[in-house]
Amino acid sequence: MAHKVTIDPVTRIEGHLRIDIEVDGGQITNAWSSGQMWRGIELIVKGKDPKDAWAFVQRICGVCTTVHALASVRAVEDALNLEIPINAQYVRNVIMAAHSLHDHIVHFYHLSALDWVDVVSALEADPKKAADLAQSISPWPGNNVNRFREVQEKLKAFVASGQLGPFENGYWGHPAMKLPPEVNLMAVSHYLEALEYQYKANQIVAIFGGKSPHIQTVVVGGVALAINPDNEATLNMERILFAQKLFEEVKKFVHQVYLPDVIAVGALYKDWLQYGAGVKNYLAVPDLPLDTKGETFDLPGGTIFNGNLAGVKPIKSFKDPYFRENVAECIAHSWYEGDWTKHPWEEETVPHYTDFQPDGKYSWSKAPRFKGEVMQVGPLAQVLVGYALGHELTKKWVDYAVEKLSSLVGGPVPLEAFHSTPGRHLARAIRAAMLAELGPKHLNLLTQNIGRGDLEVYVPPKFPKGVIKGVGFHEAPRGTLSHWVVIRDGRIENYQCVVPSTWNMSPRDDKGRMGPYEAALVGNPVADPEKPLEALRTIHSFDPCIACAVH
Ligand code: NFC
């Protein structure tokens, strides 16, 4: 007899996610993913000036606080066929890299590591053994016995106080927790250090975005950020050098702590490399444009179907019809009027709530599809697409991770292992390792271009009479984001956001096919249905943002 479990709300995510599972014989046999709140931001921007849309839609989320602004201005620029100055591309790219670095560090340590790391068990660790182990993995200066002793003392005092704060209500002592106390102590130490490094990455966002969260400098036509190398009130050399220093510090943390930790946790939980694949169709878009039109990029995009990397198909530019023509959303199981599947420019958003009906409508999330297929998006999609396309930087870091993982596991780990719950963490850490190189690269490109005397950052947009349509895409921390706008006589007539977490949290579609969260849960082991830690592991590995998904 199947045991039904509802997790509502799922915590350590953004927004309101409800997960329902059926557990039979110690494993998940069925699953539903449901977005529990809708705000109607697409409707709020109707009739507004397209130049203002970014400021409204950026408020969709308090976590990915740059990405909707960027996708929005790109959508309007696309409708206008507006090329923006190269300085503006570089500034946007620096913001994008820094924001993703901040986001990925927070996701692993603060939002999901505690699904694998038993904080309370760290109290039993021998700090000397923990330091020896940590040093065998990485030369990071924080991996020393004095620091680990200090962290353990802090933790003891914390537990003794009975005020566990963010560690309250964890599944401590759960049978699925397998790490030795020394690894748990190392992870708690890195959890605390990660707080400092995510902040450094976010400082870079604030330097180029004016503030963070919710940047102020990305506008239709470029950036609102005057460049004057000698003037204190604008982007000057002192700010650029400070950002370079921050990037260097964050890079060291990502390469010496974050990536090695994820590889070590992956190795110690190697049984999990067989769980959590679900949907093996992947979609990523190219990003970090290297020219004014968006025709060449530092991060590649494309699609993979059925896990067949050899059949990868690239998405080449902002204007590539392969992306523009093949996105649609279905609402057969979503709380909107009708049961249609439509291209975003043709969609309407008319809410229609029916309560949770497992066989009917059960989520505020729509179900995006590409060429009619369910797609998984996110760092795993980007890394697999990049690898399949032979992208050098992706190959370098994937090969590095696979080699390290194989040596820790004591045998070759095939690339197929990436189609899994730990594989999503691994891919996110690999993406961070890449961005830790690409962020400073784009900052250098900006500095060199300024050095050549080019200070242009903005071209004014002009809106024609009649109807124009545009799409702006962006590879956000959680995956492919696209904003679709229809403009009539200079005002917004329709606006639709197809968001990374919408792709991944998608409910079933008109053909009854599950979305990526749902499919990834099926087959997961569950030791204790009253404490469904394993389901949380798989859901957290996607890094859900439901405020984005349902906007
Ligand atoms: Ni919020 Fe966002 C969600 C991202 O999927 N990345 O595009 C938006 O949030 O985290």
Side-chain angles (χ1 to χ4, degrees):
M1 169 82 179
H3 191 113
K4 291 199 177 189
V5 181
T6 298
I7 310 171
D8 182 19
V10 174
T11 56
R12 287 189 186 262
I13 64 162
E14 224 285 351
H16 300 70
L17 174 64
R18 165 178 168 171
I19 292 291
D20 288 69
I21 50 174
E22 285 178 1
V23 181
D24 206 353
Q27 62 169 24
I28 299 174
T29 52
N30 208 346
W32 292 261
S33 146
S34 170
Q36 292 283 302
M37 187 175 77
W38 175 79
R39 289 158 296 154
I41 290 175
E42 290 159 340
L43 302 183
I44 289 171
V45 294
K46 273 192 178 187
K48 297 222 168 0
D49 186 329
K51 296 198 295 298
D52 295 340
W54 68 268
F56 288 91
V57 295
Q58 192 177 204
R59 270 68 192 175
I60 284 175
C61 183
V63 171
C64 61
T65 64
T66 61
V67 307
H68 294 289
L70 192 46
S72 179
V73 297
R74 281 181 177 169
V76 179
E77 287 159 1
D78 178 62
L80 295 171
N81 285 316
L82 192 66
E83 265 180 68
I84 64 162
I86 193 67
N87 282 332
Q89 295 286 40
Y90 293 146
V91 167
R92 293 177 181 185
N93 292 345
V94 167
I95 291 173
M96 181 243 176
H99 173 250
S100 272
L101 284 164
H102 147 81
D103 195 283
H104 293 340
I105 292 171
V106 170
H107 174 255
F108 180 66
Y109 288 99
H110 310 122
L111 300 181
S112 61
L114 302 185
D115 297 343
W116 310 90
V117 171
D118 190 332
V119 174
V120 176
S121 134
L123 295 174
E124 310 300 319
D126 173 344
K128 169 81 177 67
K129 273 198 208 154
D132 290 347
L133 176 86
Q135 283 161 12
S136 76
I137 295 172
S138 161
W140 178 248
N143 287 345
N144 68 72
V145 64
N146 290 340
R147 174 167 170 86
F148 286 180
R149 236 180 234 132
E150 216 176 277
V151 168
Q152 198 180 42
E153 287 308 314
K154 233 188 230 173
L155 197 58
K156 269 185 198 152
F158 198 55
V159 171
S161 77
Q163 307 268 322
L164 282 181
F167 301 139
E168 190 82 47
N169 295 331
Y171 287 141
W172 317 130
H174 190 285
M177 291 286 197
K178 302 276 191 227
L179 298 183
E182 283 70 28
V183 178
N184 287 319
L185 179 58
M186 176 184 84
V188 173
S189 176
H190 293 169
Y191 176 109
L192 297 172
E193 283 180 296
L195 288 168
E196 224 176 285
Y197 286 87
Q198 60 83 27
Y199 165 66
K200 288 177 193 287
N202 215 357
Q203 273 182 295
I204 304 171
V205 177
I207 290 169
F208 291 89
K211 71 182 193 53
S212 183
H214 297 128
I215 52 172
Q216 294 294 301
T217 54
V218 171
V219 294
V220 174
V223 290
L225 188 74
I227 298 174
N228 182 336
D230 307 317
N231 184 330
E232 280 185 14
T234 57
L235 184 59
N236 56 32
M237 277 320 288
E238 186 274 332
R239 292 284 87 188
I240 288 174
L241 291 173
F242 182 45
Q244 265 169 1
K245 175 175 163 285
L246 291 168
F247 263 135
E248 283 311 311
E249 290 174 1
V250 174
K251 179 161 89 178
K252 193 167 167 195
F253 181 80
V254 168
H255 289 175
Q256 294 191 6
V257 183
Y258 175 23
L259 182 57
D261 277 358
V262 176
I263 294 171
V265 170
L268 289 159
Y269 280 102
K270 63 176 189 289
D271 287 358
W272 266 82
L273 294 169
Q274 61 184 306
Y275 299 124
V279 171
K280 289 191 191 169
N281 300 335
Y282 297 97
L283 165 69
V285 284
D287 214 323
L288 297 179
L290 288 157
D291 58 67
T292 56
K293 283 190 179 160
E295 291 179 336
T296 50
F297 298 88
D298 252 337
L299 285 177
T303 56
I304 290 170
F305 290 94
N306 302 316
N308 174 21
L309 269 60
V312 65
K313 182 162 173 168
I315 295 168
K316 293 187 179 136
S317 68
F318 282 160
K319 295 284 184 193
D320 193 335
Y322 182 54
F323 182 79
R324 304 164 82 87
E325 291 170 6
N326 286 312
V327 175
E329 292 194 291
C330 173
I331 57 157
H333 291 274
S334 313
W335 287 317
Y336 301 95
E337 254 173 38
D339 57 3
W340 43 255
T341 299
K342 289 185 182 182
H343 186 277
W345 283 327
E346 314 299 328
E347 277 184 47
E348 64 261 14
T349 304
V350 184
H352 174 66
Y353 183 70
T354 64
D355 212 341
F356 189 96
Q357 302 171 335
D359 297 320
K361 289 183 181 278
Y362 63 88
S363 176
W364 282 113
S365 175
K366 294 175 180 172
R369 296 293 181 259
F370 188 87
K371 287 186 106 193
E373 299 295 332
V374 188
M375 307 300 280
Q376 182 179 159
V377 302
L380 177 56
Q382 186 170 60
V383 163
L384 290 178
V385 164
Y387 194 84
L389 288 171
H391 180 246
E392 243 174 66
L393 191 61
T394 311
K395 259 190 93 9
K396 174 177 116 175
W397 284 107
V398 169
D399 291 345
Y400 169 88
V402 167
E403 189 197 311
K404 292 272 175 211
L405 188 59
S406 301
S407 80
L408 287 176
V409 166
V413 173
L415 203 60
E416 282 67 45
F418 276 76
H419 305 290
S420 66
T421 292
R424 273 183 284 276
H425 286 292
L426 209 49
R428 193 174 291 106
I430 287 169
R431 182 175 192 262
M434 289 160 55
L435 288 170
E437 294 189 28
L438 292 171
K441 172 184 168 182
H442 282 258
L443 183 53
N444 282 338
L445 288 171
L446 173 69
T447 316
Q448 284 162 11
N449 197 52
I450 294 170
R452 286 191 281 273
D454 176 5
L455 303 181
E456 197 188 7
V457 290
Y458 175 70
V459 281
K462 285 196 191 64
F463 290 86
K465 282 265 167 228
V467 176
I468 52 173
K469 295 178 181 181
V471 54
F473 62 61
H474 169 44
E475 191 66 18
R478 286 153 198 79
T480 298
L481 168 68
S482 54
H483 283 205
W484 306 74
V485 66
V486 179
I487 301 168
R488 181 185 293 275
D489 299 337
R491 292 275 148 180
I492 294 174
E493 185 169 83
N494 196 6
Y495 201 99
Q496 292 291 331
C497 311
V498 185
V499 177
S501 296
T502 323
W503 288 97
N504 286 337
M505 80 163 306
S506 154
R508 289 155 173 79
D509 58 20
D510 51 354
K511 299 188 179 71
R513 289 171 307 185
M514 290 178 159
Y517 290 1
E518 298 174 337
L521 283 166
V522 174
N524 285 197
V526 174
D528 176 359
E530 296 305 317
K531 294 181 179 165
L533 174 65
E534 299 89 338
L536 290 175
R537 283 181 177 169
T538 289
I539 290 298
H540 283 159
S541 73
F542 286 94
D543 191 5
C545 177
I546 311 310
C548 271
V550 183
H551 25 269

